[in-house]
Amino acid sequence: MARVGVCEDDPEIRRVVSDALRLAGHEPVVAHDAGEAMRLLGAPVQLAALVLDIGLPDGDGRDLCQALRAGGQEAPVLFLTALDALHDRLAGFGAGADDYLVKPFAVKELLARVEVLVRRGAPTTAPAHEVRLDPTRHALVDGTGEVALSPTEFRILATLMARPGEVVRRATLVAAAWPDGAMVSENTLDSYLRRVRRKIAEVDMAAEITTARGVGYRFEQTQSGS
């Protein structure tokens, strides 16, 4: 039995997916919207896979995926969505998805794709950051308050936080934060990184974004907050 996280706002689809997972021998952990998903599906909850709707009532499922990744949840993600245009698919993969299934879907295909992800994934043991990203408000949140982020700032920071200690290439950040085909200059990305750094400094976050010159950026833990 594998624990599979599900976030779907449509009650009928949610029931179909949950029942199918149970019949296949899995344990679904079900959320109705992005806010509930952050509470039920984030690290350190151990999940073998995640099935996320993109069109949620309180946020974008792609932002939810990035926030979960940034918080340490490493389970592979299947997006379940009615959005089937190429740019939508690319945006989904840019947000960290491992697979993509368009509605309406065949239950057997859903289960087959989930089985592949379950075999590929391993339960996360990464601890959640004390300061977290909230995909419903596009904010950086700590125990005392929050700092608002623009959608682009949110996606840049989420991409970096999902890979702590690793150099994330500039092209990866652009793909995660802007629509496919957008013309983004180096100066534009640098400007957004400066804004994100300032907002990190506004909360008690023991981390910083460093530059790997000519390559990209790195999200690093520090000894103490600002």
Side-chain angles (χ1 to χ4, degrees):
M1 178 182 290
R3 299 183 77 196
V4 178
V6 178
C7 183
E8 167 63 58
D9 69 309
D10 185 294
E12 180 60 23
I13 295 177
R14 190 168 60 244
R15 182 190 63 79
V16 168
V17 173
S18 299
D19 288 350
L21 289 170
R22 288 191 188 94
L23 288 172
H26 300 308
E27 178 191 351
V29 182
V30 181
H32 302 72
D33 56 32
E36 189 175 37
M38 288 299 295
R39 295 191 297 273
L40 298 181
L41 308 180
V45 175
Q46 294 190 342
L47 299 171
L50 282 160
V51 178
L52 304 179
D53 185 19
I54 287 181
L56 297 170
D58 58 344
D60 189 310
R62 292 165 292 201
D63 292 340
L64 169 61
C65 177
Q66 288 185 310
L68 290 169
R69 289 271 193 259
Q73 180 57 265
E74 298 174 351
V77 171
L78 167 67
F79 276 137
L80 194 61
T81 176
L83 303 175
D84 63 350
L86 176 60
H87 65 87
D88 291 317
R89 294 172 183 265
L90 292 174
F93 288 118
D98 298 270
D99 201 357
Y100 201 103
L101 184 60
V102 176
K103 302 174 184 177
F105 58 90
V107 173
K108 288 184 178 180
E109 182 179 4
L110 170 69
L111 290 176
R113 290 175 180 268
V114 169
E115 292 292 348
V116 170
L117 296 185
V118 167
R119 291 196 298 270
R120 181 190 310 170
T124 179
T125 56
H129 296 288
E130 291 184 6
V131 180
R132 62 181 178 84
L133 289 170
D134 185 333
T136 67
R137 300 197 296 273
H138 285 129
L140 189 60
V141 181
D142 65 8
T144 60
E146 65 181 56
V147 175
L149 300 165
S150 73
T152 301
E153 292 167 350
F154 177 94
R155 291 163 188 154
I156 289 172
L157 181 55
T159 304
L160 290 165
M161 287 177 65
R163 307 179 187 184
E166 298 180 24
V167 174
V168 181
R169 293 184 175 274
R170 299 174 69 92
T172 300
L173 292 173
V174 170
W178 280 273
D180 179 54
M183 301 299 292
V184 182
S185 70
E186 290 192 2
N187 288 341
T188 298
L189 180 58
D190 292 339
S191 175
Y192 273 94
L193 262 296
R194 286 193 293 271
R195 295 185 210 173
V196 171
R197 283 174 169 136
R198 286 198 297 269
K199 292 184 177 183
I200 286 177
E202 293 181 34
V203 296
D204 187 20
M205 191 174 196
E208 63 180 354
I209 297 172
T210 60
T211 302
R213 192 168 300 280
V215 181
Y217 298 89
R218 182 188 292 109
F219 180 83
E220 296 185 304
Q221 301 293 326
T222 58
Q223 293 300 312
S224 62
S226 299

